[in-house]
Amino acid sequence: SRSRGLAKPVVPYRTLAAGSLPETEASIVQVDCAMKRLSASALHFCGLVFRGIRWAIVLGLFTWSVGAVYSFSLLPRFVTVPLAVAYLAAVGYAFTRIKPPDRWRQLVAAAVAVIYLICLTQRPSNNRQWAPDNAVVPDVIITGNNISVTGFRHSVYRSESDTDVHYRDCAFRLTDLQQVWFVVQRFTTLEGIAHNFLTFSVAGADGPRYFSVSVEIRREEGESFDPVKGLYRQYELIYIIADERDEIGSRTVLRPDDRVFLYPVNATPVQVQQLFLDIVARIQILREHPEFYRSLANNCTNNIVNHAYKFTPLPISSLDPRILAPGFADRLAFAKGLIGITDNFSEHIRRRVDD
C-alpha cells in the first residue's frame, strides 16, 4: 500500500488573524471590499435617480391633468374651475392615505389616462366664430405653372384698435418664386420664445414682391395666444398666406418692441418652388381635416421643419431643444446649413427692411 502524508489544515482566509496574510493577498481583499462598497453605493444612487425620475414623470403628468380639467372646452369655466380644484384636493388627500407610494402613483397614472381619453372628445373644427384676421382659410389652385390664391390677406395696421382686415385673390407663376427667407419674431425678453414664419419673393417686371406664410393658432373672437393653453387642444391650426407688410407690419406696428429677424434661406429657385408646393399640400389637408395647434408638437416651428427636411441631408430631430424653444430655431437652421454662408452665426444676423 502507498503511504499518505499528513495534509495541512486549510483555514479560510477571512478567518485568519490580522497580519497572517501575505501582503499581496491582503491588498486583494481590501480592493475586493472597496469595490463591493462602491458597487453598493452606485446601485443605491441609481435607485435614487430612478425613483426621482418616476416621481418627476408622475408629478408632471398630474400637473398636466389638472390643467386639462381646468381647460376642458366642452364645459363652461364655472364648472371646470371647481372640478380642477376638487380633483387636485382628492389626489392630494389620497397621497396622505394610500400606502405604499407605488399604489398612489398607479392611481394618478390611471386618473391621467382617463382625463386624456376624455380630452380626446374635443375635436378640431373649421366652423367657429373666428377673429377677423383668422376668419378665412386660404385656398390655392395650381394650373400648370399658374398659382391662384384666394383668401390672401393684406391687412393694414395703424394701431391695436385701428386695423383694417382685407382679403383678396392673388395670382403669380410658380417659376417666379425665386427666394425664401426664414423669419424669427422674438416677442418677449426670453430668447427661447418666438414665432417663426417664411417669406417668399415673387419676381416681377417692377421688381420682387413679397408674401409670407405663417403657421399660427386660429383665434376665435376675443381669444389670445397662451402657450400653456396650447397644451390642451384649445386652438385650431391655420396657415396664413398674406402680404409681407401684413405679417411683419402687424408685429412691428402692434408690438414695436418685438425683434424681427429675416434670414435668406440657402435654396435654389427650384427648391423654393418645391417648398411652396409642399406648403400648399399641407394647406389643402387642413382645409378638409382641421388639426389642433399643440405648443410642443404641432406649432409654427414644427411645421416649418417638416417642410424644410428636403433642403438638408442632415437629420433634424423633433426633440431638438432649438425646436421646442422656437427662439433658437435660427441657430438650428444655421447648424444644418439652411441659412448662413459664414462659419460664425453672429456674423450672419441681418435684418431686411423694405419701404
Side-chain angles (χ1 to χ4, degrees):
S1 63
R2 289 180 295 177
S3 61
R4 298 182 182 178
L6 294 175
K8 296 181 180 180
V10 178
V11 180
Y13 73 85
R14 293 192 185 278
T15 65
L16 294 174
S20 62
L21 281 175
E23 183 177 346
T24 302
E25 293 185 29
S27 299
I28 292 174
V29 171
Q30 292 173 359
V31 170
D32 181 56
C33 292
M35 290 298 295
K36 288 184 176 181
R37 287 195 297 269
L38 181 61
S39 298
S41 298
L43 288 174
H44 179 68
F45 175 76
C46 290
L48 290 176
V49 171
F50 179 70
R51 285 193 293 272
I53 292 174
R54 283 198 304 174
W55 275 106
I57 293 174
V58 169
L59 292 177
L61 291 174
F62 173 61
T63 302
W64 174 87
S65 65
V66 173
V69 174
Y70 173 81
S71 304
F72 190 64
S73 60
L74 298 183
L75 294 175
R77 186 66 68 210
F78 69 84
V79 174
T80 61
V81 170
L83 273 179
V85 173
Y87 171 58
L88 178 63
V91 174
Y93 176 76
F95 178 75
T96 66
R97 306 294 296 178
I98 296 179
K99 304 297 179 186
D102 281 345
R103 290 185 58 195
W104 181 84
R105 285 194 292 263
Q106 293 168 2
L107 173 66
V108 170
V112 171
V114 170
I115 290 171
Y116 175 74
L117 292 175
I118 292 174
C119 286
L120 293 181
T121 62
Q122 301 172 109
R123 308 300 300 171
S125 172
N126 281 329
N127 300 312
R128 302 190 193 279
Q129 295 297 318
W130 304 112
D133 57 340
N134 287 153
V136 178
V137 176
D139 188 17
V140 182
I141 299 174
I142 302 173
T143 307
N145 190 41
N146 297 315
I147 305 294
S148 176
V149 182
T150 60
F152 183 89
R153 200 180 70 190
H154 63 114
S155 302
V156 178
Y157 301 90
R158 289 176 290 271
S159 69
E160 190 169 357
S161 59
D162 187 8
T163 300
D164 296 329
V165 178
H166 302 287
Y167 295 93
R168 62 180 175 83
D169 295 343
C170 175
F172 54 87
R173 294 184 301 177
L174 178 64
T175 51
D176 287 340
L177 292 176
Q178 297 295 305
Q179 194 170 5
V180 62
W181 280 262
F182 178 56
V183 186
V184 179
Q185 174 217 356
R186 294 191 174 95
F187 52 87
T188 74
T189 55
L190 299 175
E191 288 292 308
I193 299 179
H195 175 62
N196 302 320
F197 58 98
L198 300 172
T199 280
F200 291 84
S201 69
V202 182
D206 300 327
R209 295 174 292 144
Y210 301 98
F211 70 89
S212 298
V213 177
S214 178
V215 186
E216 306 176 3
I217 65 165
R218 193 176 187 188
R219 293 179 297 105
E220 297 179 51
E221 289 185 354
E223 201 170 38
S224 60
F225 175 65
D226 182 342
V228 175
K229 289 177 65 177
L231 299 171
Y232 299 109
R233 303 167 72 89
Q234 295 297 296
Y235 306 117
E236 276 79 10
L237 188 77
I238 187 173
Y239 275 63
I240 299 291
I241 301 180
D243 188 288
E244 186 189 64
R245 288 169 294 186
D246 176 329
E247 275 296 327
I248 295 182
S250 66
R251 289 160 172 83
T252 56
V253 173
L254 302 183
R255 295 179 289 272
D257 294 331
D258 288 5
R259 293 160 295 159
V260 180
F261 298 88
L262 294 92
Y263 304 95
V265 176
N266 297 326
T268 65
V270 172
Q271 288 177 316
V272 173
Q273 294 154 24
Q274 291 173 342
L275 172 64
F276 181 73
L277 292 178
D278 197 60
I279 290 173
V280 169
R282 176 82 167 123
I283 291 174
Q284 298 306 101
I285 290 174
L286 290 174
R287 285 181 61 86
E288 300 298 328
H289 306 284
E291 297 177 9
F292 280 118
Y293 174 96
R294 299 196 298 274
S295 294
L296 297 179
N298 196 20
N299 57 30
C300 58
T301 308
N302 298 128
N303 282 275
I304 291 175
V305 168
N306 290 337
H307 294 306
Y309 272 132
K310 60 178 64 67
F311 286 146
T312 175
L314 301 175
I316 302 176
S317 171
S318 59
L319 298 178
D320 192 301
R322 293 166 293 185
I323 295 177
L324 299 178
F328 299 117
D330 49 1
R331 290 161 175 78
L332 173 65
F334 179 80
K336 300 299 182 181
L338 295 172
I339 62 175
I341 56 176
T342 68
D343 294 330
N344 190 327
F345 175 77
S346 61
E347 294 178 1
H348 179 66
I349 294 179
R350 297 288 186 271
R351 296 190 188 197
R352 175 170 61 79
V353 180
D354 297 320
D355 295 332

